[in-house]
């Protein structure tokens, strides 16, 4: 008899996390460097802070750049803005190992519930500016926005990639700059729509109130859907979209441990 | 006992836990290397830094884990172990780092192996340190004390060295050479602490300079690593 001890059941209950409809909606904002992720978050804070309890988590290359930008923008109580260090791996922190972000989101949510508050409605998570392939794990965010800008070139949307093609919303930002960079913003939005199989695309300029209103309306609709439990996080990829491993509910099967060679 | 489940070798469990791909936010950690470099250490100092950690702070961590494992296996209360670790880890920043790493680990292992007695025991403490949660993981997976201590030593070496690759202009093969060169010290550390059983046995081998760096790191505004 090898000196292993009796095995334990390995399958078990899923995460004790609250069902998605009772905790804050987690909205991810990703996209290449400088496309306007922080600005979009600042915009949402400015527009929605009056009606919703908000929190923000930033993932930076150099830690708290984005958090400091947002705090200094004065659109949200600085205590509601947290920075997560990514060890120079911003892609990992939103996808392969989401632990630091999950813990930050839970702490933020808990802090504003425990403090006698009513809890947060919406947590915005900004990814560190990364390349076109970075998207959020659906285990971290309920819904995600991919941000491009017209200054990055009119072809970017057509080139595609998981975020561009399958994020819940694609924002083509800084449409005000289109004339200066020789890009046809309307065409860029149309081509993005084609690459996305009908998923929503929004041309945005922070000073264009109509586009800002459309963004806010989309966010409110996501929150409403989340609250009735109808929002199912979608994975933009790069893998095939809807794979759910059994491991989500504990391991299947099980094993004993021993330290002898097999006979 | 009729059981269709497969018997697997302990080494595989250890590999799983030592793998950098384990989602416990390991990529956010530099084991104080980042502030040490900021304070003036250079590439050539990294192997010495690794060795110093193994003799000091990592020794506290490994010894704490081994003592915690002993307590868990006998159903003894862990508060004295936790207190011994706390008293020997004087930097509040290092304690906070350990506790947040513990939380990350506990989150994962409770999901994979729910309902083990050891994990229940550490979950009842509000903020266990990482050594104690690693001990509970070892207890849940039938790892021996020596293996647990080796895991802690090895992980510390790899954490420093992989952070070094992000922070310094180094050849990854050279850095892997540093890891390999540190293995005898990891082995020795494990042998030295594996038999410990009492909270008082945990050596007070902190490193004031490393602790000071850990403290300084909290107040920097441009950093890649959480600690
Ligand atoms: N013209 C114009 N500029 C904008 C708009 N939105 C953002 N910007 C500018 O674009 C630049 C980058 O914006 P950020 O919000 O910092 O971009 P980011 O994606 O958060 O950048 P990283 O976090 O560094 O990846 C800043 O100079 C913004 O002022 C817009 O609608 N129009
Ligand atoms: Mg930003």
């Amino acid at each position: 008899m090898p000196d292993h001890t009796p095995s334990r059941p390995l399958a078990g209950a899923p995460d004790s996390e609250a069902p998605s409809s009772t905790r804050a909606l987690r909205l991810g904002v990703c996209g290449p460097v400088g496309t306007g992720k922080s600005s979009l978050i600042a915009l949402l804070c400015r527009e929605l802070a009056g009606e919703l309890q908000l929190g923000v988590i930033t993932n930076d290359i150099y830690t708290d750049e984005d958090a400091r930008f947002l705090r200094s923008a004065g659109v949200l109580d600085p205590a509601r803005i947290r920075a997560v260090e990514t060890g120079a791996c911003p892609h990992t922190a939103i996808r392969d190992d989401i632990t630091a972000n999950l813990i930050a989101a839970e702490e933020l949510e808990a802090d504003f519930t425990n403090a006698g508050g009513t809890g947060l409605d919406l947590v915005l998570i900004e990814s560190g500016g990364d390349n076109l392939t970075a998207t959020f794990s659906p285990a971290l965010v309920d819904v995600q926005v991919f941000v491009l800008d017209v200054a990055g070139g009119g072809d970017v949307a057509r080139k595609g990639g998981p975020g561009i093609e399958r994020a819940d919303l694609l924002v083509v930002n800084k449409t005000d700059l289109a004339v200066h960079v020789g890009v046809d913003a309307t065409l860029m939005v149309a081509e993005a729509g084609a690459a996305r199989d009908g998923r929503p695309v929004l041309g945005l300029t922070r000073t264009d109130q109509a586009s800002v209103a459309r963004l806010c309306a989309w966010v409110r609709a996501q929150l409403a859907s989340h609250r009735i439990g109808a929002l199912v996080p979608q994975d933009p990829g790069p893998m095939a979209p809807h794979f759910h491993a059994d491991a989500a509910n504990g391991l299947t099967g099980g094993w004993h441990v021993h330290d002898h060679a097999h006979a | 006992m009729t059981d269709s489940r497969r018997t697997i070798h302990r080494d595989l469990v250890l590999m799983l836990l030592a793998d950098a791909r384990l989602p416990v936010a390991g990529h956010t950690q530099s084991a104080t290397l980042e502030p040490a470099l900021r304070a003036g250490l250079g590439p050539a100092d990294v192997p010495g830094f690794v060795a110093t950690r193994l003799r000091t702070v990592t020794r506290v961590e490994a010894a704490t884990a081994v003592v915690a494992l002993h307590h868990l296996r006998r159903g003894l209360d862990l508060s004295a172990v936790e207190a011994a670790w706390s008293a020997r880890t004087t930097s509040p920043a290092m304690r906070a780092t350990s506790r947040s790493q513990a939380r990350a680990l506990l989150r994962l292992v409770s999901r994979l192996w729910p309902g083990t007695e050891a994990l229940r025991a550490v979950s009842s403490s509000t903020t266990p340190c990482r050594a104690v949660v690693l001990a509970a993981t070892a207890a849940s997976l039938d790892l021996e004390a020596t293996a647990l201590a080796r895991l802690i030593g090895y992980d510390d070496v790899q954490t420093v060295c992989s952070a070094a690759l992000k922070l310094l202009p180094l050849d990854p093969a050279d850095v892997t050479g540093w890891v390999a060169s540190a293995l005898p010290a990891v082995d020795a550390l494990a042998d030295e602490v594996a038999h410990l059983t009492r909270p008082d046995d945990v050596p007070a081998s902190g490193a004031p300079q490393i602790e000071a760096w850990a403290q300084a790191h909290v107040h920097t505004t441009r950093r890649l690593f959480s600690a």
Side-chain angles (χ1 to χ4, degrees):
Chain A
M1 182 78 190
D3 67 343
H4 63 254
T5 52
S7 68
R8 300 148 308 282
L10 288 164
D15 235 5
S16 58
E17 205 175 86
S20 58
S21 53
T22 59
R23 61 155 170 74
L25 173 70
R26 294 177 186 161
L27 187 155
V29 181
C30 57
V33 179
T35 51
K37 299 178 291 297
S38 299
S39 303
L40 184 144
I41 286 173
L43 194 61
L44 287 174
C45 291
R46 194 185 73 202
E47 296 290 317
L48 301 175
E51 61 188 274
L52 298 174
Q53 294 292 320
L54 303 176
V56 174
I57 294 167
T58 64
N59 283 237
D60 246 312
I61 312 296
Y62 270 112
T63 310
D64 64 352
E65 276 302 275
D66 282 331
R68 278 190 292 159
F69 164 81
L70 287 167
R71 288 182 192 121
S72 67
V75 287
L76 197 64
D77 169 9
R80 291 171 179 260
I81 303 169
R82 308 274 164 91
V84 164
E85 294 87 352
T86 62
C89 303
H91 196 156
T92 301
I94 61 165
R95 182 132 198 130
D96 321 353
D97 184 355
I98 57 177
T99 316
N101 273 298
L102 277 178
I103 287 177
E106 286 167 1
E107 282 179 355
L108 192 57
E109 288 162 17
D111 286 355
F112 286 90
T113 309
N114 300 343
T118 51
L120 298 182
D121 298 304
L122 176 62
V123 174
L124 301 158
I125 305 180
E126 178 178 351
S127 77
D130 208 324
N131 56 39
L132 289 172
T133 64
T135 56
F136 287 92
S137 162
L140 175 60
V141 298
D142 301 301
V143 68
Q144 54 189 299
V145 179
F146 199 88
V147 185
L148 290 179
D149 66 3
V150 296
D155 318 334
V156 182
R158 201 170 358 104
K159 285 179 188 162
I164 290 173
E165 290 168 36
R166 292 183 296 275
D168 300 282
L169 176 68
L170 177 70
V171 166
V172 175
N173 195 24
K174 311 186 197 175
T175 50
D176 56 314
L177 295 182
V179 288
H180 305 290
V181 293
V183 169
D184 179 342
T186 313
L187 179 65
M188 189 172 171
V189 168
E191 286 181 343
R196 285 170 58 74
D197 232 356
R199 290 182 186 84
V201 185
L202 179 67
L204 180 72
T205 294
R206 61 187 166 195
T207 49
D208 169 19
Q209 202 47 45
S211 68
V212 173
R214 282 194 287 275
L215 174 67
C216 293
W218 181 84
V219 172
R220 287 191 196 97
Q222 300 306 309
L223 182 57
S225 166
H226 170 72
R227 281 180 172 154
I228 60 168
L231 186 63
V232 179
Q234 303 293 319
D235 184 5
M239 301 299 286
H242 307 293
F243 176 72
H244 294 289
D246 290 339
N249 290 329
L251 299 181
T252 51
W255 27 258
H256 301 279
V257 173
H258 72 95
D259 54 11
H260 290 242
H262 290 287
Chain B
M1 173 176 172
T2 55
D3 193 339
S4 60
R5 284 176 289 195
R6 179 94 172 121
T7 296
I8 61 150
H9 198 285
R10 272 200 175 81
D11 287 0
L12 286 168
V13 176
L14 204 52
M15 287 178 196
L16 176 68
L17 295 176
D19 195 319
R21 289 164 291 194
L22 202 69
V24 290
H27 64 102
T28 67
Q29 301 299 315
S30 80
T32 11
L33 181 70
E34 188 173 24
L37 297 175
R38 196 181 293 254
L41 256 55
D45 300 317
V46 176
F49 182 73
V50 165
T52 302
R53 284 187 60 91
L54 288 174
R55 276 197 307 275
T56 57
V57 290
T58 309
R59 193 180 186 85
V60 175
E61 172 110 346
T64 303
V66 162
V67 173
L69 180 60
H70 176 85
H71 280 58
L72 284 161
R73 290 225 160 109
R74 281 159 189 76
L76 301 172
D77 180 54
L78 287 165
S79 52
V81 184
E82 192 74 45
W85 169 80
S86 246
R88 289 157 180 77
T89 307
T90 51
S91 151
M94 285 175 74
R95 291 200 301 274
T97 296
S98 171
R99 291 187 167 124
S100 86
Q101 287 185 283
R103 182 170 171 177
L105 180 65
L106 191 54
R107 176 187 187 94
L108 178 72
V109 296
S110 304
R111 164 101 164 244
L112 298 184
W113 300 286
T116 76
E117 215 159 289
L119 290 174
R120 246 200 318 273
V122 297
S123 301
S124 66
S125 152
T126 43
T127 51
C129 67
R130 178 170 177 263
V132 164
V133 175
L134 276 167
T137 305
S140 304
L141 299 176
D142 302 317
L143 288 183
E144 298 303 327
T146 320
L148 172 61
R150 283 190 201 116
L151 173 67
I152 287 173
Y154 175 78
D155 183 68
D156 198 76
V157 174
Q158 282 286 25
T159 300
V160 172
C161 289
S162 65
L165 283 172
K166 303 276 194 212
L167 295 163
L168 294 165
L170 294 166
D171 179 338
D174 289 339
V175 174
T176 306
W178 295 346
V179 174
S181 303
L183 294 181
V186 171
D187 218 12
L189 165 66
D191 286 342
E192 285 155 23
V193 302
H195 65 280
L196 304 181
T197 57
R198 298 177 310 129
D200 285 354
D201 293 338
V202 178
S205 58
Q209 179 62 83
I210 291 176
E211 283 155 15
W213 285 333
Q215 287 303 118
H217 192 64
V218 177
H219 303 291
T220 59
T221 53
R222 290 175 75 82
R223 54 178 186 249
L224 290 180
F225 293 91
S226 156

